[in-house]
Amino acid sequence: MEINLIRKNDKFNFEATNPAGQSVELDAKPEIGGTGRGFRPMEMLLVGLGGCSGIDMVNVLTKQKEPLADVKINIKATRKTEKMPPIFDAITIHFDLYGDLNEKKVERALALTFEKYCSVSNILGRSATITFTYALHQAAS
């Protein structure tokens, strides 16, 4: 795995690129001179958590032959501010799942995602408490 970053301005705006040529921009918070041109690095960690857990959960549900029509993920986090560095202390990730889904299979898929498969969750869970919730919805017709 390799990621390359280039500086985009004379401040804190960077563009990160992967070997496939996809890119994402990062920037610092405005209080230290960020210009709002990209995700802040700690936000990128939450993006990684959402992507990792979403991919793993969809993969497990697909293997279970569950008819998942759509998924939306919301993540909220708080950080420890009393000492440096201000790492995450609590992360809540909520899944809105759409389709005629078996609740027991959804619970199993989420448990496997967070206990076994999602490497980002495993890393962040070493310093933060991660909780997940979900809601089941019928697919829009």
Side-chain angles (χ1 to χ4, degrees):
M1 187 177 301
E2 179 179 341
I3 301 293
N4 291 294
L5 288 93
I6 59 168
R7 193 172 177 200
K8 302 280 287 185
N9 63 12
D10 63 347
K11 293 287 186 182
F12 305 106
N13 181 220
F14 287 85
E15 180 181 32
T17 307
N18 69 8
Q22 293 134 341
S23 64
V24 63
E25 288 197 43
L26 296 103
D27 206 344
K29 59 185 175 181
E31 297 89 92
I32 67 166
T35 56
R37 293 192 175 132
F39 281 91
R40 297 198 330 239
M42 292 298 282
E43 292 172 332
M44 288 299 297
L45 287 174
L46 297 178
V47 169
L49 174 62
C52 182
S53 62
I55 289 167
D56 289 339
M57 186 267 314
V58 168
N59 190 37
V60 173
L61 287 175
T62 299
K63 288 178 179 178
Q64 292 175 339
K65 301 194 183 330
E66 282 298 288
L68 179 66
D70 199 4
V71 59
K72 295 178 183 175
I73 303 169
N74 175 270
I75 304 171
K76 295 180 180 163
T78 58
R79 294 170 70 177
K80 298 177 182 177
T81 56
E82 64 277 359
K83 62 181 182 177
M84 295 301 277
I87 61 176
F88 293 121
D89 63 348
I91 301 170
T92 302
I93 182 166
H94 177 79
F95 296 86
D96 282 301
L97 302 162
Y98 297 83
D100 188 19
L101 302 168
N102 178 304
E103 189 166 8
K104 289 194 185 302
K105 288 185 177 183
V106 167
E107 288 175 0
R108 174 85 172 132
L110 288 169
L112 284 170
T113 292
F114 287 99
E115 294 169 12
K116 184 174 183 181
Y117 295 123
C118 180
S119 53
V120 177
S121 172
N122 185 288
I123 291 167
L124 290 175
R126 295 175 190 195
S127 60
T129 301
I130 300 174
T131 56
F132 66 87
T133 60
Y134 69 91
L136 300 178
H137 309 277
Q138 290 301 312
S141 45

